[in-house]
Amino acid sequence: MTKIRIAIQKSGRLNEESLSILKRCGISIDNGKDQLKAAARNFPLEVFYLRNGDIPQYLRDGVVDIAIIGENVLIEKGEDISIATKLGFSKCKVSLAIPKSDAYSSVKDLEGKRIATSYPNTVRKYLEEKGVSAELHIINGSVEIAPNIGLADAICDIVSSGSTLFKNNLKEVEVMLKSEAVLAVSPNITAERKAILEKLLFRIQSVLKATRSKYVLLNAPNDQLDVILKILPGMRSPTVLPLAEKGWSSVHTVIDKDTFWEVIDELKQAGAEGILVCPIEKMVL
């Protein structure tokens, strides 16, 4: 039986979150200790555990069909590889940073400076767009130490919380790009495996939609029902059911989590009571 081959990071946070989203898609993977390859029990899928930086080439060569990878890695090493969907986790920035004690007014201050990075293509392109020429030192590993040992005047690296920069007495001065995990697709994927990808994408998008939404039930006085229904951004239209108490109705709908509190405040002001909020496991549209 044909299986789609997916690459995920061998270890670390992206590994854990990648396995988590596959699990929420109902895919059970037989993971053994230190395995480099594993099969799913209930879906035509094989998992390859690879180094993050190697994944773009494996996609390009058709060794794997799809991959969960940081968008920043694709920008650096795989701009020719297409993205099927963004996944909403492992968010970070790729930023330029300099010692805290150094003055900084604009990217022009980096003219002629030495920049340590493991993202040379990204930095080079960014500086060219800004009309800045700098000397790049390519380092595979921790670049934060470079200014402290006199190797560089600035660094370019991934920034999540900023704590690593703080510990190394550095400050972020330019955000070059924002990144998150994406599902990337090999340019050599076969039609048969593309059909499996479509099934996987359907599951992933159902999980992501559920993650971004909340299921809301509330009690509404009938004389305010029209006002309350206008506030609610339901999928098509909210469900309205009569309550045992005369003059009241129960309203069921889905609210996007990004606008959730604003909508709840409006509902309360419009007379809604007994508002119950529930998480959604899957959302099939």
Side-chain angles (χ1 to χ4, degrees):
M1 182 179 68
T2 301
K3 294 183 178 182
I4 195 166
R5 301 160 299 177
I6 184 170
I8 67 172
Q9 189 174 322
K10 195 173 179 180
S11 60
R13 182 181 162 199
L14 188 51
N15 167 277
E16 294 167 5
E17 291 182 306
S18 299
L19 291 174
S20 174
I21 195 167
L22 292 176
K23 185 178 180 180
R24 284 184 285 151
C25 288
I27 299 172
S28 302
I29 298 165
D30 292 319
N31 275 347
K33 185 174 173 58
D34 299 325
Q35 272 187 297
L36 297 179
K37 191 169 90 167
R41 292 196 300 271
N42 56 353
F43 194 83
L45 177 141
E46 283 183 311
V47 179
F48 288 67
Y49 299 99
L50 304 172
R51 284 181 65 250
N52 215 29
D54 295 338
I55 290 176
Q57 192 59 48
Y58 280 105
L59 284 165
R60 200 175 283 115
D61 293 342
V63 175
V64 294
D65 306 300
I66 56 175
I68 296 177
I69 187 171
E71 189 177 6
N72 57 297
V73 179
L74 281 189
I75 290 169
E76 176 65 25
K77 295 187 173 184
E79 281 195 310
D80 56 321
I81 295 167
S82 63
I83 293 172
T85 187
K86 295 189 176 187
L87 298 172
F89 56 81
S90 291
K91 293 186 177 182
C92 65
K93 299 174 285 183
V94 178
S95 300
L96 290 164
I98 63 173
K100 284 182 184 175
S101 57
D102 289 2
Y104 187 86
S105 57
S106 77
V107 70
K108 299 290 185 184
D109 293 343
L110 297 175
E111 178 69 36
K113 297 295 176 76
R114 300 164 300 163
I115 302 174
T117 184
S118 52
Y119 295 91
N121 294 331
T122 304
V123 178
R124 196 174 290 115
K125 184 178 178 182
Y126 182 81
L127 293 180
E128 283 175 0
E129 289 172 353
K130 300 293 182 181
V132 173
S133 177
E135 180 184 341
L136 301 187
H137 287 265
I138 302 170
I139 299 177
N140 293 317
S142 300
V143 300
E144 296 87 359
I145 196 172
N148 293 329
I149 61 175
L151 181 64
D153 304 297
I155 69 161
C156 165
D157 202 12
I158 289 174
V159 177
S160 295
S161 65
S163 61
T164 304
L165 292 182
F166 180 80
K167 289 174 186 174
N168 287 277
N169 208 32
L170 299 171
K171 61 183 178 183
E172 182 183 56
V173 292
E174 296 283 337
V175 177
M176 294 165 50
L177 61 92
K178 293 183 179 179
S179 172
E180 64 184 86
V182 298
L183 185 68
V185 183
S186 168
N188 297 311
I189 188 170
T190 65
E192 201 173 3
R193 289 183 169 127
K194 209 167 189 176
I196 300 172
L197 171 60
E198 291 302 316
K199 292 179 181 179
L200 178 61
L201 271 173
F202 176 77
R203 296 192 186 194
I204 288 174
Q205 285 159 358
S206 296
V207 168
L208 293 178
K209 182 67 177 173
T211 303
R212 293 192 293 263
S213 305
K214 299 287 185 184
Y215 189 73
V216 177
L217 301 86
L218 59 90
N219 296 332
N222 288 344
D223 58 1
Q224 285 293 101
L225 197 53
D226 288 343
V227 175
I228 288 171
L229 292 181
K230 285 177 183 176
I231 296 168
L232 294 173
M235 289 181 288
R236 284 191 179 171
S237 64
T239 300
V240 180
L241 301 169
L243 289 178
E245 184 177 346
K246 194 173 180 181
W248 285 80
S249 295
S250 175
V251 179
H252 301 218
T253 193
V254 173
I255 297 177
D256 189 285
K257 72 173 186 178
D258 292 334
T259 58
F260 173 76
W261 286 111
E262 292 84 351
V263 173
I264 293 297
D265 287 340
E266 286 187 62
L267 290 171
K268 287 181 66 180
Q269 290 172 11
E273 296 182 6
I275 302 172
L276 179 64
V277 181
C278 305
I280 302 172
E281 185 177 333
K282 308 285 188 302
M283 196 164 164
V284 181
L285 300 176

